[in-house]
Amino acid sequence: MSSPPIRVLLAKVGLDGHDRGVKVVARCLRDAGMDVIYTGLHRTPQEVVQAAVQEDVDVLGVSILSGAHMTIFPRLVDGLRDAGAGDIILIGGGVIPDEDVVALKALGVSELLLQETSPADIVDTVRRLVQERGPR
Amino acid sequence: MLQTSQQLVQRARSGNIAAIGRLMSRAEVGAAECRPALADIYRLAGRAHVIGITGVPGSGKSTLATRLAVCLRQSGRRIGIVAIDPSSPFSGGAILGDRIRMQELAGDPGVFIRSMATRGALGGLARGTLEAVDILDAAGYDTILIETVGVGQDEVDIVRAAHTVVVVSAPGLGDDIQAIKAGVLEIADIHAVSKCDRPDANKTIADLKNMLTLVHAAPEAWRPPVVPTSSHQREEGIDALLEAITQHHVWLQQGGRLAARRRNIVAQRLLKAAESLIRDRFDAQRGAHTEGLIDSVAARDIDPFSGAIALLKTLQIEVS
């Protein structure tokens, strides 16, 4: 039996109404054969964590264009761990300064894909991280 | 460190969300390791009232499921929702967007929502849907809503999954002849007409009611009600729909009807499971033999039916 599609939950958190980018990403991942769940806008970190755990996704991708990344990502990392879902790979996307990228990776965000990232790179990154994590 | 599926069953029964989610993923893949665990789950399940919601794409299934779940939550019941969306026939990928309509339920610990992709299944459900329902049932969810993929006229697998089937019709699609055609409309225990704030909704309601008067039913038979609903005017019709669902559930519990319905469901499920095992074996083994036969059929040396018989012969299946 062939391996199941990679499952990805894409979310927008907080006061950030810009979701054209996340829809483009959703479409790219779909065309790469993945199951993509999109939550819609204005979710709280707790809601996103609950959805990711219920959906048992391989990857949680959160797009933040509001500048609140240093507040929101730590809550997502903690929330996933507390829910016993620390093996869900957290990827951030958006406009994030270099020093914050370093800090967020140290906190446990697996990868940050910034505004110049090509669709092919996004797909490759998701596949690579899921491969590195292995079966679960 | 991988958890065994049996360990996941124990944790799922005590309500662990991560374990429920993981078990559903394994059930969807259908790995052999998971089978004994799913057998345990099946023995534990059988308490929940399973409600199917089906209808054409855009008819308002997700919205209606959300409104129903919100109302059911007020009575303290825990709700499971399995929402199905289509996979791409080209890439195999899917965008599962039912959660976007279900934001009102986000964060509620008494609601478990799972999105599933059809992955080529044609009957309106996804592979692993019935197992996901069993898992929610065994984990103590009282009412389980299955929202099918948007269906056409002939995808009626929901009747082998749900005790009560709600068919959602939206106004403005087709005339009274559509209403008397065979197929999806026949499986309804309850008809919901969505978007009833629209001016043409009355005609849809009338067409459905007329269609139902043509049915020659026994006096004690269930008569499917037609319930107008509107989410535009928030609560319109939801109480009536909930009442109709409750009445159907009460009706089922009389005179052994629920047991009969459950038996009917498992009968179809058993046959489908056998069918899918044969299909898996067929797909795994047909491999090399297929290409040459396709060439022969394409060249019109042999016809497709003879080709099929020859193909089955290579798998030691004799048919004539």
Side-chain angles (χ1 to χ4, degrees), chain A residues 91-124:
Chain A
I91 300 180
V95 184
I96 296 168
D98 292 345
E99 59 268 31
D100 291 349
V101 169
V102 175
L104 289 172
K105 282 193 174 178
L107 273 170
V109 180
S110 294
E111 197 59 78
L112 290 134
L113 303 173
L114 307 184
Q115 62 271 34
E116 300 292 313
T117 314
S118 73
D121 281 349
I122 295 172
V123 169
D124 289 346

Side-chain angles (χ1 to χ4, degrees), chain A residues 13-32:
Chain A
V13 181
L15 287 174
D16 176 358
H18 301 276
D19 71 345
R20 187 167 172 81
V22 77
K23 285 175 179 163
V24 171
V25 173
R27 181 67 197 259
C28 294
L29 297 176
R30 185 203 87 172
D31 289 344

Side-chain angles (χ1 to χ4, degrees), chain B residues 129-163:
Chain B
T129 299
L130 304 182
E131 287 78 4
V133 169
D134 283 347
I135 293 165
L136 289 168
D137 189 338
Y141 288 85
D142 303 295
T143 305
I144 298 164
L145 305 175
I146 305 175
E147 183 201 330
T148 72
V149 70
V151 301
Q153 296 178 313
D154 201 19
E155 296 95 330
V156 295
D157 277 2
I158 189 66
V159 292
R160 67 180 170 89
H163 307 128

Side-chain angles (χ1 to χ4, degrees), chain B residues 210-232:
Chain B
N210 281 335
M211 178 268 286
L212 292 165
T213 60
L214 300 177
V215 178
H216 206 75
E220 74 280 6
W222 173 256
R223 290 171 179 273
V226 179
V227 184
T229 63
S230 165
S231 301
H232 184 59

Side-chain angles (χ1 to χ4, degrees), chain B:
Chain B
M1 186 183 48
L2 285 179
Q3 294 183 76
T4 67
S5 294
Q6 300 280 6
Q7 286 169 326
L8 290 174
V9 171
Q10 293 311 316
R11 294 179 53 221
R13 285 187 70 188
S14 61
N16 183 287
I17 301 294
I20 296 169
R22 183 63 45 85
L23 209 48
M24 287 178 174
S25 301
R26 292 195 186 168
E28 198 172 10
V29 176
E33 183 271 339
C34 197
R35 291 234 177 93
L38 291 176
D40 288 347
I41 287 285
Y42 181 78
R43 275 190 289 275
L44 294 164
R47 287 180 38 264
H49 182 203
V50 183
I51 302 167
I53 299 173
T54 192
V56 299
S59 54
K61 297 179 292 300
S62 302
T63 305
L64 210 54
T66 306
R67 303 300 315 145
L68 280 176
V70 168
C71 291
L72 286 163
R73 280 296 289 147
Q74 286 164 3
S75 62
R77 271 176 281 190
R78 296 171 71 215
I79 312 296
I81 300 177
V82 181
I84 301 153
D85 266 338
S87 296
S88 161
F90 303 109
S91 72
I95 303 237
L96 309 173
D98 292 313
R99 276 184 180 269
I100 298 170
R101 313 256 177 276
M102 296 181 179
Q103 298 202 354
E104 209 174 333
L105 299 167
D108 183 341
V111 179
F112 191 111
I113 304 172
R114 179 67 169 212
S115 313
M116 301 185 97
T118 52
R119 297 185 189 168
L122 293 175
L125 301 181
R127 191 170 189 152
T129 299
L130 304 182
E131 287 78 4
V133 169
D134 283 347
I135 293 165
L136 289 168
D137 189 338
Y141 288 85
D142 303 295
T143 305
I144 298 164
L145 305 175
I146 305 175
E147 183 201 330
T148 72
V149 70
V151 301
Q153 296 178 313
D154 201 19
E155 296 95 330
V156 295
D157 277 2
I158 189 66
V159 292
R160 67 180 170 89
H163 307 128
T164 302
V165 174
V166 179
V167 174
V168 186
S169 299
L173 298 170
D175 56 12
D176 55 335
I177 297 302
Q178 292 300 333
I180 59 171
K181 282 188 182 171
V184 167
L185 288 175
E186 284 181 285
I187 66 169
D189 298 304
I190 296 159
H191 290 278
V193 177
S194 62
K195 314 182 196 205
C196 70
D197 48 286
R198 288 176 37 159
D200 47 352
N202 284 338
K203 177 164 173 7
T204 304
I205 294 164
D207 285 348
L208 283 169
K209 284 187 171 165
N210 281 335
M211 178 268 286
L212 292 165
T213 60
L214 300 177
V215 178
H216 206 75
E220 74 280 6
W222 173 256
R223 290 171 179 273
V226 179
V227 184
T229 63
S230 165
S231 301
H232 184 59
Q233 291 144 357
R234 295 297 275 184
E235 299 291 338
E236 173 103 20
I238 295 299
D239 286 343
L241 183 57
L242 211 52
E243 178 58 27
I245 290 170
T246 306
Q247 279 176 11
H248 184 251
H249 198 210
V250 168
W251 178 85
L252 275 177
Q253 282 163 330
Q254 294 160 354
R257 295 189 185 108
L258 187 57
R261 180 124 184 182
R262 283 185 195 281
R263 191 175 189 285
N264 200 7
I265 287 170
V266 298
Q268 295 184 59
R269 197 170 158 184
L270 170 85
L271 296 177
K272 279 276 177 187
E275 207 177 290
S276 101
L277 285 173
I278 289 182
R279 176 173 291 274
D280 286 349
R281 198 183 104 185
F282 176 72
D283 287 340
Q285 296 182 351
R286 70 184 172 84
H289 308 293
T290 319
E291 291 303 317
L293 284 165
I294 292 173
D295 289 340
S296 305
V297 175
R300 298 196 182 263
D301 291 336
I302 60 171
D303 68 287
F305 193 77
S306 308
I309 290 173
L311 178 59
L312 290 177
K313 203 169 258 174
T314 65
L315 302 175
Q316 274 96 47
I317 299 172
E318 288 286 343
V319 286
S320 57

Side-chain angles (χ1 to χ4, degrees), chain A residues 9-26 38-43 48 60-69 72-73 76 90-96 111-113:
Chain A
L9 185 105
L10 294 180
K12 293 288 296 183
V13 181
L15 287 174
D16 176 358
H18 301 276
D19 71 345
R20 187 167 172 81
V22 77
K23 285 175 179 163
V24 171
V25 173
Y38 178 47
T39 62
L41 293 164
H42 310 309
R43 303 296 88 208
V48 170
L60 169 59
V62 177
S63 152
I64 299 178
L65 298 168
S66 66
H69 47 271
I72 289 166
F73 280 114
L76 293 169
L90 180 59
I91 300 180
V95 184
I96 296 168
E111 197 59 78
L112 290 134
L113 303 173

